[in-house]
Amino acid sequence: MRDSKPGPQSDAPERVLITGGAGYIGSLLTGVLLQRGFAVTVVDDLLFGGESILAYFSHPNFRFIKGDVCDPSVLTQIRNSQFAIRNSIAAAVHLAAIVGFPACQAVGKPVAWRYNVESVQRAFAFAEQVGAERFVFSFMVRQAHHEQNH
């Protein structure tokens, strides 16, 4: 990403979209980006709560959209928002996921697949459509011990 200071042609901050931004990593990243002058939109369906981002709601460069990144209407809402149309998106950071084998097992394979595979595909396609300069995501692979032995 470029330096967050506005360029000569723009007085608006660079914009970052964070999917799953109400989680631990997403909420910390949101705080750092806001502190450095970026405009941040967090998309999260609050499956695991959202207390970690409550402090940001009063920040003028923070926007929150409650929803699932796999839901086309949520993506349309982001695309049609001032977030996407005023300036290009500097980065889309995809953190929406069901993390850990116990959590994936608890929600079941179809739900885990939707959050951990389909959401990456949809978030990447969306970032490409709106011209995001960067797409950042991370993932972990861990096979459960009992699966290794069967």
Side-chain angles (χ1 to χ4, degrees):
M1 280 186 280
R2 298 181 308 263
D3 184 25
S4 64
K5 295 190 188 331
Q9 294 127 351
S10 172
D11 60 351
E14 285 191 303
R15 300 177 182 287
V16 178
L17 172 68
I18 304 176
T19 65
Y24 178 72
I25 294 170
S27 62
L28 292 175
L29 178 60
T30 297
V32 168
L33 291 172
L34 289 171
Q35 195 173 44
R36 292 188 180 182
F38 289 88
V40 178
T41 294
V42 166
V43 178
D44 200 300
D45 62 3
L46 304 178
L47 188 64
F48 297 105
E51 296 81 14
S52 60
I53 59 169
L54 288 176
Y56 306 130
F57 276 78
S58 62
H59 196 289
N61 288 335
F62 177 78
R63 178 155 186 233
F64 176 74
I65 297 174
K66 184 180 187 299
D68 180 350
V69 72
C70 286
D71 181 347
S73 69
V74 171
L75 298 177
T76 299
Q77 183 180 354
I78 300 165
R79 188 179 299 112
N80 293 338
S81 72
Q82 288 183 334
F83 173 77
I85 59 177
R86 275 222 251 124
N87 293 313
S88 66
I89 296 173
V93 181
H94 180 67
L95 300 172
I98 305 291
V99 179
F101 180 75
C104 289
Q105 193 173 32
V107 299
K109 283 184 179 183
V111 173
W113 181 267
R114 175 183 169 96
Y115 278 88
N116 295 343
V117 177
E118 289 179 21
S119 69
V120 176
Q121 295 167 333
R122 290 179 190 236
F124 179 78
F126 176 78
E128 193 173 48
Q129 287 172 2
V130 296
E133 297 172 19
R134 307 258 190 285
F135 182 78
V136 180
F137 78 103
S138 65
F139 68 95
M140 293 177 29
V141 177
R142 179 177 172 213
Q143 191 171 6
H145 178 70
H146 75 276
E147 288 183 350
Q148 293 174 348
N149 296 326
H150 290 97

